[in-house]
């Protein structure tokens, strides 16, 4: 099949001779990918921060058509158009039933999302069918459906973890696609004030469209001072940390009011948590890998009703064979998030 | 006045020539202490883990009679028998109104609780009068009222922070007085199973009296295995970390099920939080210094109704002039918690 492979730092290749994935377990399905995208977390191996096995496929976000199902799969059928949660789950184990599908005892991950075919483990638990689709969705819906595979549920999880509530002030640290979806989530949940920390005009624009009421361009202590100024010295009722670096985490705890929670969804890299500050301020931390399957049905309804348009985070679309340029554009922050047309 | 002073590691002295505290601000009150006690956190300076100013008074838990009030104090009067929260608050600022009185903008701490008189800042916000007391409470009530100054609200805060709910499994790491009060709190909140990690028979006994349904004597990985065994491999719905050491925190995260929260109330010493584990398991951390004043009225009602008997954590009572022996007994773990009769 045509697919994307990674060979080392900044070495992303489009190839047309990758072995097709096959059904290995009765609970598997194979999805023919129509649309994929590049995740901020794909940049960690791209930048050499995570080890890679040279030549392995990459990509964990995709949507498409069910091409084959294992013998135990009953809830989806060949031909269904589906959103593929990046984290696969059986949706029946104790952790899934408790709403933490990312802790599923049968957890799996999409391994060749930036390719023509992707194997999905636990297809019955994982896949969510998009209703009323003949062949493929309306082109205007594609980006919004694509965003449901990871980025939108991840931003939502940040807001849920931070305990965003109606009427309060939410601060979002990070203006990447996840942070912007965090803004959208907080606004949907009724946060009265949504403050985005961003210094990039194009990202600020999406943030405001998603519901940010205030944008702070400062960083570090100056950003903290600006938030304190906005909140009469009280701090934020909820903070979303959507980056995963030490500096972002420090800012998140600095702007959090006593008794609030920092929701974090960026894979932490080089983060040391300030346990004494957390103790003295009574500021909690919650979050992690998003239980996409938990949020997906409700978010799909919001997308289909036109209530949210999370696909606005995609500001560059490329055909799959230009995937390497997509990585470069995201690495250099020329693009917020890149959509890949797989065909 | 007669009071306790600390001069260096393991150098606790009873003296009868300490200067009386006085009303310094119109919002202050002076409480004549009738009963005090020794806190687990007093052992940090006692053991030389925290710096001390030689000769300073010590003790932050006390109950007694209001002896003097500043000109702005209106809610309590001379002669009232009161519980003194160890952390003083105005109970009117934004953080207090949000239920996080330990983050009060006018926060204060009792400085000479193990002495004859204690200055209380923000007396109107802090002090809670015990109703229907002529001169002093019935002797059987004294330990239970004493426990409301810190240890019981702190255990309660651990349970609240951990999100203890009816029907679930709560694990309590730490069999000190705070951990035992955490057991009592979890049981009161309806936790179906309350698992106490303890290897000391006297503490196990109090834990069972407080509602522990299971006691695990193992430590470290063996303790984790035992909890997993008890919970069909799922882990705890809520975990209370009531020690403050790295080992206790590690165990707490190990036994927590995905999506749960570790509530922590032990002042952290040498704790490095496992941020990658927290992320991959979606286990949160919340807690800190307890907002005693928030919980105090309800806990006082429970004590007066005879519904809880938190004073059972006191297994040694001494007159104030034997305070040094009290510290030794707690340091050597001969006593769970020491009550001091100030007179």
């Amino acid at each position: 099949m045509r697919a994307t492979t990674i060979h080392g730092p900044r070495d992303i290749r489009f190839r047309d001779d990758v072995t097709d994935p096959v059904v290995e377990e009765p609970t598997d399905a194979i999805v023919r990918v129509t649309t994929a995208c590049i995740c901020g977390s794909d940049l960690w191996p791209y930048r050499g921060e995570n080890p890679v096995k040279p030549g392995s496929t990459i990509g964990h976000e995709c949507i498409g058509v069910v091409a084959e199902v294992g013998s135990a799969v009953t809830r989806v059928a060949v031909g269904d158009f589906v959103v593929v949660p990046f984290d696969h789950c059986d949706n029946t184990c104790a952790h899934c039933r408790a709403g933490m599908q990312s802790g599923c005892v049968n957890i799996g991950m999409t391994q060749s999302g930036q390719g023509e075919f992707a194997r999905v483990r636990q297809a019955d638990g994982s896949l969510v069918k998009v209703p009323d689709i003949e062949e493929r969705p309306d082109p205007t819906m594609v980006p919004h459906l694509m965003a449901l595979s990871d980025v939108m549920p991840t931003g939502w999880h940040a807001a849920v973890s931070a305990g965003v509530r109606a009427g309060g002030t939410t601060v979002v640290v990070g203006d990447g696609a996840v942070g912007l979806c965090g803004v959208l989530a907080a606004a949907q949940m009724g946060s009265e004030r949504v403050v985005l920390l961003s210094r990039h005009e194009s990202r600020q624009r999406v943030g405001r469209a998603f519901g940010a009421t205030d944008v702070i361009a400062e960083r570090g202590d100056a950003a903290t001072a600006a938030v304190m100024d906005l909140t009469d010295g009280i701090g934020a009722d909820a903070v979303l940390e959507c980056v995963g670096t030490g500096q972002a985490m420090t800012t998140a705890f600095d702007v959090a009011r006593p008794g609030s929670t920092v929701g974090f969804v960026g894979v932490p890299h080089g983060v040391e948590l300030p346990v004494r500050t957390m103790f003295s301020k009574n500021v909690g931390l919650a979050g992690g890998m998003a239980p996409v399957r938990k949020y997906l049905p409700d978010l799909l309804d919001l997308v289909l009703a036109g209530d949210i348009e999370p696909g606005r985070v995609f500001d560059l679309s490329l055909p799959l064979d230009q995937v390497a340029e997509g990585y470069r554009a995201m690495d250099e922050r020329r693009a917020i998030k890149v959509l890949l047309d797989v065909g």
Side-chain angles (χ1 to χ4, degrees), chain A:
Chain A
M1 66 171 177
R2 298 175 297 125
T4 307
T5 52
I6 183 165
H7 298 259
R10 292 187 162 72
D11 187 355
I12 284 284
R13 301 182 196 172
F14 168 77
R15 286 168 54 192
D16 60 7
D17 60 352
V18 174
T19 306
D20 287 1
V22 295
V23 166
E24 295 178 31
E25 304 280 343
T27 46
D28 287 355
I30 301 298
V31 170
R32 180 172 58 75
V33 176
T34 58
T35 307
C37 61
I38 303 174
C39 182
S41 69
D42 291 331
L43 296 180
W44 292 112
Y46 183 75
R47 290 170 175 161
E49 307 271 355
N50 289 0
V52 299
K53 186 169 154 237
S56 53
T57 55
I58 188 168
H60 55 261
E61 298 177 74
C62 61
I63 55 177
V65 180
V66 176
E68 190 184 348
V69 294
S71 58
V73 175
T74 60
R75 284 190 58 262
V76 289
V78 171
D80 285 352
F81 194 91
V82 290
V83 176
V84 183
F86 79 89
D87 43 358
H88 314 159
C89 60
D90 60 25
N91 217 19
T92 57
C93 80
H95 301 317
C96 286
R97 291 198 312 274
M100 197 41 73
Q101 283 85 341
S102 43
C104 177
V105 296
N106 287 307
I107 191 86
M109 297 275 283
T110 304
Q111 303 289 346
S112 59
Q114 291 157 11
E116 217 169 349
F117 292 98
R119 176 183 170 218
V120 180
R121 305 173 69 117
Q122 304 297 331
D124 269 351
S126 306
L127 295 172
V128 173
K129 180 180 175 177
V130 184
D132 307 323
I133 303 272
E134 298 282 334
E135 296 233 353
R136 48 181 62 206
D138 184 279
T140 62
M141 289 300 279
V142 167
H144 308 314
L145 295 173
M146 180 68 256
L148 297 180
S149 177
D150 178 347
V151 65
M152 184 63 217
T154 295
W156 196 268
H157 188 52
V160 169
S161 301
V164 170
R165 59 177 176 75
T169 294
T170 301
V171 169
V172 179
V173 182
D175 63 1
V178 171
L180 295 170
C181 287
V183 167
L184 182 52
Q188 275 287 316
M189 294 175 190
S191 182
E192 185 177 334
R193 191 167 219 165
V194 183
V195 184
L196 173 64
L197 269 52
S198 172
R199 50 174 53 188
H200 299 86
E201 208 189 322
S202 63
R203 294 158 190 261
Q204 292 176 353
R205 207 159 41 230
V206 178
R208 288 196 187 275
F210 278 180
T213 55
D214 302 86
V215 172
I216 292 176
E218 287 82 2
R219 287 198 180 176
D221 289 346
T224 302
V227 170
M228 288 300 160
D229 205 42
L230 272 177
T231 57
D232 297 327
I234 292 170
D237 298 297
V239 183
L240 280 53
E241 193 285 295
C242 302
V243 183
T245 62
Q247 194 200 331
M249 195 64 89
T250 298
T251 300
F253 281 109
D254 284 349
V255 301
R257 70 179 289 169
S260 69
T261 304
V262 173
F264 78 131
V265 290
V267 185
H269 282 73
V271 172
E272 277 180 42
L273 295 174
V275 64
R276 298 292 290 233
T277 301
M278 293 173 72
F279 184 88
S280 63
K281 282 185 73 174
N282 261 279
V283 174
L285 180 71
M289 198 166 86
V292 173
R293 182 59 178 78
K294 175 185 184 182
Y295 306 126
L296 197 40
D298 290 344
L299 292 175
L300 178 58
D301 284 348
L302 289 173
V303 160
L304 294 176
D307 290 337
I308 60 172
E309 297 189 333
R312 294 173 77 159
V313 295
F314 295 108
D315 55 351
L316 178 61
S317 288
L318 295 170
L320 182 62
D321 60 6
Q322 290 178 38
V323 60
E325 165 56 14
Y327 273 78
R328 280 192 296 272
M330 278 182 62
D331 180 43
E332 295 161 11
R333 289 180 77 85
R334 285 185 278 120
I336 300 174
K337 192 168 174 76
V338 174
L339 185 137
L340 298 167
D341 184 13
V342 181

